[in-house]
Amino acid sequence: MPSLILLMIFGAAVFAYWNAARAAAERAEQLGRDACKAADVLWLDQTVHAHGLRVRRGEDGKLGFERSFRFEYSYDGIDRHIGRLVLRGEQLVSFIGPVRPAAAPLNLH
């Protein structure tokens, strides 16, 4: 009987971890897609890839997971660039990726 209870607790912990990881991946996917759309670049492969997982303290002092993701984008459909983002819970902590293009220079001829 105690082994069944331990198995149920372990199963619940695994499910909670999987559910949080899935939610973080969906949030990272939305952030990557939005950044590419705002920068007017192509978001390649239509997905993000989990790149790292660390235990970190949040601003409130509580321990939580910090997940790193990477995605690929292209300016012209030929080249490939790697973007990276880091989430602590649902909050974006770091982003490296496409930026909105600067205004085109004026031609004064």
Side-chain angles (χ1 to χ4, degrees):
M1 186 68 150
S3 62
L4 180 61
I5 292 173
L6 291 175
L7 183 63
M8 289 175 62
I9 291 171
F10 178 74
V14 167
F15 177 75
Y17 172 79
W18 176 81
N19 195 34
R22 201 57 240 139
E26 289 173 6
R27 173 86 169 126
E29 188 174 307
Q30 184 65 41
L31 289 169
R33 183 182 303 120
D34 290 348
C36 289
K37 186 176 180 180
D40 196 28
V41 298
L42 298 172
W43 185 46
L44 302 176
D45 303 332
Q46 307 300 312
T47 189
V48 295
H49 306 281
H51 187 55
L53 175 69
R54 298 191 302 186
V55 176
R56 301 289 261 191
R57 288 201 184 273
E59 292 187 15
D60 58 358
K62 294 181 181 179
L63 288 175
F65 289 118
E66 182 177 275
R67 292 177 167 87
S68 302
F69 297 92
R70 59 184 184 90
F71 61 96
E72 294 185 355
Y73 61 96
S74 175
Y75 288 104
D76 58 7
I78 299 172
D79 60 347
R80 291 179 88 88
H81 300 278
I82 295 176
R84 292 181 176 86
L85 55 93
V86 178
L87 294 176
R88 190 175 298 144
E90 292 286 320
Q91 183 180 14
L92 180 65
V93 176
S94 174
F95 180 83
I96 299 171
V99 294
R100 181 171 283 151
L106 295 174
N107 189 359
L108 299 176
H109 293 285

